Amino acid sequence: MLKKVFYTLCISFVVLWSCFPLYWAFITSLQTSSEMLQVSLWPSKPTLVHYCSIIYKTGFLKCVLNSFYVAGITILFANLLGVPAAFALARFMFPGVKVLQAMIWIISFLPPIVLLGGLLDVVRFLGLYDSKAGLIFSYMLIVLPFTVWSLRNYMMQIPRELEEAAIMDGVSVWRMFWKVFIPLSAPAIITTGLIAFITAWNEFLLALTMILSDKNRTATVGITLISGTTEFEIPWGQIMAAAGIVTIPLICLVLFFQKRIVSGVTVGAVKG
């Protein structure tokens, strides 16, 4: 009984600790400027004035659409390139495969700031600076190693018997990849795709460095550029409203794909 109470208290604390900042940001976005000077768990007169200001008086929605575009194309290319690469690493032995696996594993843990200088030079050389294509190219180099490594671990859990049975039936490697490995790896593909989307959606440093024009700016950078009517005013209401708009798509995606995310994480983590 005491253990159950203790576990319940621990879980409640973790949930409260994790959700309270989101809740506070939400109620702040519903408060008037005068109410923000007081501490209250719910605004006395909730208002959507900050949301209306963000939507109609700023270009923030354009930034949100840019983030959707960049993150969506990043997922597409990460899966198009990462799934076949993971299949090859999981099922084939060729010269240098161990070295390649080690390189992918190491690169997947490097922080973006380590790659910033080299990425900036490459993007400028390709003529992609200050463009969404350049940002997508940069994000690909961040999410692709993680995608390949995660899917490779997942595909190694698929029984060899299925592969051997397909070979005995005369199925080609390419057909086996599409008909056997892709359907069975769907939970892992969705999981890694969602993580790639969240990474591209939340990324700030590369978006700030590689994008200069307003038309290509993403939501994370757009929030930092929200300013008040004077240099001494910090528009907390608009900032929190913008943060809420950015957070809602992530919450919806996680809730929608919750079962597949859990399946992909638990099965893919059994064996390395």
Side-chain angles (χ1 to χ4, degrees):
M1 181 65 181
L2 290 178
K3 287 185 177 180
K4 185 178 294 185
V5 172
F6 176 74
Y7 291 149
T8 303
L9 290 175
C10 290
I11 294 173
S12 301
F13 175 77
V14 171
V15 171
L16 180 63
W17 183 270
S18 302
C19 295
F20 185 77
L22 295 176
Y23 170 76
W24 194 257
F26 173 69
I27 66 170
T28 302
S29 68
L30 298 178
Q31 292 176 335
T32 60
S33 299
S34 59
E35 276 191 297
M36 292 179 194
L37 301 177
Q38 305 171 359
V39 178
S40 61
L41 295 178
W42 187 256
S44 58
K45 296 180 180 179
T47 177
L48 297 177
V49 63
H50 300 303
Y51 289 93
C52 294
S53 178
I54 284 293
I55 294 174
Y56 297 111
K57 296 182 181 180
T58 68
F60 184 72
L61 285 186
K62 176 63 175 178
C63 296
V64 174
L65 293 177
N66 288 339
S67 290
F68 268 116
Y69 177 82
V70 171
I73 299 299
T74 299
I75 289 179
L76 177 63
F77 281 103
N79 284 332
L80 286 177
L81 299 176
V83 176
F87 172 70
L89 291 174
R91 289 313 201 201
F92 298 106
M93 294 298 298
F94 50 87
V97 63
K98 295 296 183 181
V99 176
L100 183 59
Q101 289 177 357
M103 291 177 61
I104 293 174
W105 184 77
I106 293 172
I107 294 173
S108 64
F109 286 97
L110 292 177
I113 193 171
V114 175
L115 308 173
L116 181 59
L119 276 175
L120 195 57
D121 291 337
V122 173
V123 168
R124 282 176 172 168
F125 176 78
L126 296 175
L128 300 177
Y129 186 70
D130 192 23
S131 67
K132 289 189 282 287
L135 202 56
I136 293 170
F137 175 80
S138 302
Y139 288 167
M140 281 291 301
L141 297 181
I142 296 175
V143 303
L144 190 57
F146 171 80
T147 300
V148 172
W149 185 257
S150 300
L151 291 178
R152 174 253 181 195
N153 290 343
Y154 189 96
M155 289 182 179
M156 289 184 69
Q157 309 307 310
I158 297 177
R160 288 278 183 179
E161 290 77 9
L162 294 176
E163 183 180 352
E164 293 170 356
I167 294 175
M168 291 294 295
D169 290 338
V171 177
S172 63
V173 174
W174 186 248
R175 186 175 177 83
M176 179 175 59
F177 168 70
W178 278 106
K179 297 296 184 179
V180 178
F181 279 83
I182 291 293
L184 293 177
S185 301
I189 294 174
I190 292 174
T191 301
T192 54
L194 182 58
I195 294 174
F197 181 90
I198 294 174
T199 300
W201 183 268
N202 291 335
E203 204 283 325
F204 174 77
L205 181 62
L206 294 178
L208 178 65
T209 306
M210 297 188 177
I211 299 296
L212 296 178
S213 59
D214 293 338
K215 66 177 182 179
N216 294 324
R217 190 164 284 126
T218 57
T220 52
V221 179
I223 292 178
T224 64
L225 298 179
I226 297 175
S227 59
T229 55
T230 67
E231 60 179 328
F232 302 105
E233 179 188 0
I234 301 178
W236 289 115
Q238 293 184 22
I239 292 174
M240 294 306 175
I245 293 174
V246 170
T247 306
I248 289 173
L250 299 182
I251 295 176
C252 294
L253 284 174
V254 172
L255 292 177
F256 185 77
F257 293 110
Q258 181 181 6
K259 291 184 178 180
R260 289 191 176 273
I261 292 172
V262 173
S263 176
V265 171
T266 54
V267 178
V270 173
K271 183 178 177 182

